[in-house]
Amino acid sequence: MHLLNLGILAHVDAGKTSLTERLLHSVGVIDEIGSVDAGSTQTDTLALERRRGITIKSAVVSFAVDDITVNLIDTPGHPDFIAEVERVLGVLDGVVLVVSAVEGVQAQTRVLMRTLQRLRIPTLIFVNKIDRRGARHDGVLDALAERLTPAIVPMGRVVDAGTRDAAFVAGAVAPDVLADHDDELLAAYVDGTLADERLRSALVAQTRQALVHPVYFGSAVTGAGVPELIGGIKELLPAADGDPEGPVSGSVFKVERGPAGEKVAYARLFSGTLRTRDRVPFGPRREEGRVTAVSVFDHGTDVRADVVPAGRIARLWGLGNIRIGDTIGEPRNSTATSSPRPPWRPSSSPARAPTAGPCTWPSPGSPSRTR
């Protein structure tokens, strides 16, 4: 099974958590779709989240799409909790950026997209709420191109926008944006010899390199466009990499308390294989801890396991003084690790959304991301 660690990001109220529920329902993980307003979703588990109808803490769920296991991380959209999003970025293989078809590109959308581009994280755009009154198609596409990036590739069109019958109809991919990054494709396009297979392979390659961003339209409420989005997640985003035979190297992006008050670390393993009862160094002081229990995410929840291979996200018990941002095992910039990606650490202070002027993101050392 291939692995994909996927983030769902958006401005507040664009429909991230509702989309997560719809994805889980579409692939058969849950039988009934939860409601944000009713506080019955899979990922909003805090009492305050259920009462306020917003996501405060990142949460991980898992589902399978054919031979791919997707670890999906639902993140907060409210700018007050943007530091929670920042912690997650370094463990992702790809992102679905959710935009409202009614409100369009909003302030937080711009902040997130600029960061995703700087880190070169492959990103699909899902324009949600096409069933809502005031939903737009061409207007949103124009706003995406003008305010986010011109490198967007519409994957189809909307019919009956603004009604309960709104639907997404997949269409042919236009080659113009793809040709900007591929001279051979441009030449074939000009002389009329461009085959559909060549165009599709270029779309896959350039999406995985974060050069272009496919755009899907749909509704998390009605399910319109969601099957097409799932197909895009499967085909266009890259699988998790990492050498399971290499030295253990991972990064902690979330820490919570277990039932007995013990610390439980959420970590992405970039290299090596971690087993229960292994002793591993962690943190800047290189303290050594013994992993007493492990769980991985599968079929919508976490299940106990004895082994965590490279690429997986896991919950780890036994690393007493572990903190968010700590490295487990070898640092990623060590020559001992096989991961080609540079290390990522969140900034030392929580980021704040700008109140005026162009949207910016506090730079944590401006790392680049390559694939």
Side-chain angles (χ1 to χ4, degrees):
M1 293 278 286
H2 295 297
L3 291 169
L4 169 62
N5 297 303
L6 177 71
I8 302 288
L9 277 62
H11 187 98
V12 65
D13 288 336
K16 294 179 294 67
T17 302
S18 296
L19 178 59
T20 298
E21 290 289 308
R22 175 60 66 173
L23 289 171
L24 294 176
H25 182 266
S26 297
V27 297
V29 172
I30 57 176
D31 296 325
E32 184 177 350
I33 299 176
S35 167
V36 173
D37 293 334
S40 57
T41 61
Q42 297 291 305
T43 53
D44 287 345
T45 56
L46 296 178
L48 184 59
E49 290 178 315
R50 294 182 180 274
R51 187 166 64 250
R52 296 286 301 277
I54 60 174
T55 301
I56 297 173
K57 291 288 187 180
S58 58
V60 184
V61 291
S62 179
F63 61 88
V65 181
D66 296 335
D67 62 341
I68 299 177
T69 295
V70 179
N71 290 326
L72 188 153
I73 306 178
D74 183 22
T75 61
H78 198 286
D80 286 353
F81 309 111
I82 195 62
E84 191 74 14
V85 182
E86 189 180 48
R87 296 162 184 154
V88 169
L89 294 178
V91 306
L92 300 179
D93 302 301
V95 162
V96 173
L97 180 64
V98 183
V99 178
S100 169
V102 180
E103 288 82 11
V105 175
Q106 297 170 278
Q108 193 69 4
T109 319
R110 296 179 63 194
V111 172
L112 293 168
M113 190 62 180
R114 290 186 180 185
T115 306
L116 293 169
Q117 289 179 304
R118 178 167 59 82
L119 298 178
R120 298 183 63 185
I121 300 177
T123 302
L124 308 181
I125 299 174
F126 183 75
V127 182
N128 191 26
K129 303 184 181 181
I130 62 171
D131 58 318
R132 289 268 304 277
R133 180 179 298 180
R136 299 165 294 144
H137 177 266
D138 293 340
V140 173
L141 284 177
D142 291 342
L144 292 175
E146 293 173 6
R147 303 187 66 192
L148 295 186
T149 172
I152 59 171
V153 181
M155 302 299 290
R157 59 187 178 85
V158 177
V159 295
D160 296 326
T163 72
R164 291 288 294 183
D165 296 325
F168 177 71
V169 180
V173 174
D176 49 349
V177 174
L178 297 171
D180 289 343
H181 307 284
D182 189 329
D183 291 340
E184 292 182 2
L185 189 149
L186 176 61
Y189 177 43
V190 171
D191 62 27
T193 61
L194 181 59
D196 290 342
E197 294 79 7
R198 175 71 178 85
L199 187 63
R200 199 71 186 184
S201 65
L203 175 65
V204 173
Q206 293 187 29
T207 301
R208 292 181 177 182
Q209 296 169 26
L211 296 174
V212 301
H213 308 287
V215 180
Y216 297 85
F217 283 75
S219 169
V221 172
T222 67
V226 173
E228 290 79 7
L229 175 64
I230 292 174
I233 291 171
K234 175 186 173 183
E235 179 187 9
L236 302 177
L237 295 179
D241 57 9
D243 179 11
E245 303 300 324
V248 171
S249 176
S251 180
V252 176
F253 65 93
K254 178 179 177 178
V255 175
E256 65 181 14
R257 295 284 180 176
E262 75 280 19
K263 282 190 176 181
V264 182
Y266 287 67
R268 158 77 185 267
L269 202 63
F270 294 102
S271 173
T273 299
L274 190 62
R275 296 174 174 84
T276 306
R277 293 182 292 278
D278 279 356
R279 300 191 71 87
V280 291
F282 63 89
R285 297 183 180 179
R286 313 312 293 155
E287 300 177 58
E288 191 174 84
R290 181 171 176 267
V291 178
T292 58
V294 169
S295 65
V296 297
F297 291 88
D298 195 16
H299 291 91
T301 186
D302 62 309
V303 294
R304 286 303 175 103
D306 294 324
V307 176
V308 183
R312 276 280 192 180
I313 287 177
R315 300 174 76 207
L316 307 176
W317 283 259
L319 305 179
N321 294 319
I322 197 80
R323 296 181 180 181
I324 293 172
D326 279 356
T327 296
I328 297 175
E330 297 288 340
R332 290 181 66 193
N333 58 347
S334 168
T335 56
T337 180
S338 62
S339 174
R341 292 172 293 183
W344 163 263
R345 283 189 177 276
S347 59
S348 57
S349 59
R352 293 181 296 175
T355 55
C359 294
T360 58
W361 187 288
S363 173
S366 298
S368 62
R369 184 181 179 109
T370 58
R371 286 201 174 270

